[in-house]
Amino acid sequence: MNSFLKLVNNPFKFRLFLFYNVPAAFFSGLRIKECTDEKCITSVPFKWLTQNPFKSTYFASLAMAAEMSTGALALRNTFKQSPGISILVTKMEAQYLKKATSITFFTCEDGLLISGVVDEARRTGAGKTVSVKTIGRNETGELVAEFLFTWSFKIKVKN
């Protein structure tokens, strides 16, 4: 198991990682429920820190959890790797379908697609992009939101 999967699958270490690197996610209560080579499931609770004035989860809190479900898969392929690879979201599309009034789970099943693109960037040395989808559902399984993130991967050049 690579070092990033060890990190995300240890709740204490992952919470420390969030606290130091993504404090908004830490304080919002974002969690990774499952992370494998193929898929990642994240959750964001409906609570005071994540709600909007309309008594639902704020759209940005949903976007943060959605991005983490794809970003964890990107990090899984680049974390502490040599040569280093820069990763960046270059585009995001969202469709909000239902008011989020409870915990929302985001599932991205494009881990192998991301892995292939990262391997191609390593092999060719050229920057590569990939668009991946994540689906948000509430605790009863109803569709809440769909996101499409485009990630860019580029080998870091040492000067």
Side-chain angles (χ1 to χ4, degrees):
M1 181 184 307
N2 79 24
S3 58
F4 187 74
L5 288 180
K6 287 180 184 176
L7 173 71
V8 300
N9 288 313
N10 180 315
F12 178 74
K13 287 182 181 179
F14 183 66
R15 298 287 292 148
L16 283 177
F17 174 83
L18 287 182
F19 182 77
Y20 287 108
N21 296 288
V22 194
F26 174 84
F27 289 109
S28 295
L30 189 139
R31 299 277 193 273
I32 291 184
K33 297 296 185 184
E34 179 183 342
C35 191
T36 66
D37 292 344
E38 296 85 22
K39 74 176 179 179
C40 184
I41 302 171
T42 61
S43 68
V44 62
F46 172 66
K47 63 180 192 174
W48 182 77
L49 282 173
T50 62
Q51 74 178 348
N52 61 31
F54 310 109
K55 303 292 185 225
S56 62
T57 306
Y58 184 52
F59 82 95
S61 296
L62 293 170
M64 183 170 48
E67 189 243 358
M68 181 65 74
S69 72
T70 64
L73 294 169
L75 283 171
R76 175 232 168 267
N77 289 280
T78 60
F79 189 71
K80 294 186 178 180
Q81 297 291 312
S82 183
I85 297 182
S86 296
I87 65 173
L88 181 68
V89 172
T90 60
K91 184 177 179 182
M92 180 192 88
E93 296 177 38
Q95 186 175 15
Y96 298 93
L97 303 161
K98 181 171 178 53
K99 195 173 183 176
T101 57
S102 65
I103 190 169
T104 304
F105 299 92
F106 284 92
T107 303
C108 177
E109 296 181 335
D110 292 332
L112 297 179
L113 176 62
I114 292 169
S115 181
V117 170
V118 171
D119 288 345
E120 187 177 348
R122 273 196 193 99
R123 190 176 63 254
T124 65
K128 298 291 177 184
T129 61
V130 64
S131 294
V132 294
K133 186 176 185 176
T134 186
I135 306 288
R137 296 186 181 277
N138 62 20
E139 58 196 349
T140 62
E142 296 172 295
L143 189 60
V144 172
E146 293 181 356
F147 286 80
L148 187 66
F149 288 94
T150 301
W151 286 92
S152 169
F153 301 92
K154 185 176 180 183
I155 301 293
K156 292 180 181 177
V157 179
K158 294 184 179 182
N159 292 328

